[in-house]
Amino acid sequence: MDLLAVGVLAVMREAGVDKATFVGHSMGAAVISRVYQQAPEKVAGLVAVDGALRRQSVTAQQSERYLAPLRTPEYREHTKKFISSKFPVPGR
């Protein structure tokens, strides 16, 4: 996230933008949060869309439950199900 925030600030510098309102969707919310942490004087506002501006507290057990299926030989099927769940087909 820090590297992405550095990139955002570099684009602002190159474009001559002194201050901006940032809209971050999903993981982008974490990126704009880091932009604010690195350069608050560059931020007029933050808008999070389906993302969190603060780090969520997740236990090691919760993380492992999420990641464990991706370490199995069936990881492709798990990945396919995960991605499909993000794009449901209406009426099914």
Side-chain angles (χ1 to χ4, degrees), residues 37-53:
Q37 289 174 339
Q38 291 179 19
E41 72 282 359
K42 299 283 187 182
V43 178
L46 298 175
V47 179
V49 180
D50 197 22
L53 291 174

Side-chain angles (χ1 to χ4, degrees), residues 71-88:
R71 295 188 185 109
T72 67
E74 297 82 23
Y75 74 92
R76 286 188 174 125
E77 187 60 31
H78 291 292
T79 302
K80 182 179 173 182
K81 286 180 183 178
F82 174 77
I83 292 171
S84 294
S85 74
K86 302 299 178 193
F87 302 96

Side-chain angles (χ1 to χ4, degrees), residues 4 13 16 20-21 24-28 31 35 37 41 63 69 72 74-75 88:
L4 294 172
R13 185 173 50 255
T21 297
H25 174 257
S26 192
M27 185 179 86
V31 175
V35 170
Q37 289 174 339
E41 72 282 359
S63 292
T72 67
E74 297 82 23
Y75 74 92

Side-chain angles (χ1 to χ4, degrees), residues 4-75:
L4 294 172
V6 167
V8 169
L9 292 167
V11 169
M12 287 180 69
R13 185 173 50 255
E14 290 297 315
V17 176
D18 294 323
K19 197 169 199 170
T21 297
F22 296 91
V23 178
H25 174 257
S26 192
M27 185 179 86
V31 175
I32 64 173
S33 178
R34 295 294 174 92
V35 170
Y36 179 73
Q37 289 174 339
Q38 291 179 19
E41 72 282 359
K42 299 283 187 182
V43 178
L46 298 175
V47 179
V49 180
D50 197 22
L53 291 174
R54 293 185 179 170
R55 180 174 286 185
Q56 302 297 307
S57 60
V58 178
T59 66
Q61 184 180 12
Q62 289 169 318
S63 292
E64 183 55 29
R65 204 170 31 236
Y66 175 78
L67 295 172
L70 301 176
R71 295 188 185 109
T72 67
E74 297 82 23
Y75 74 92

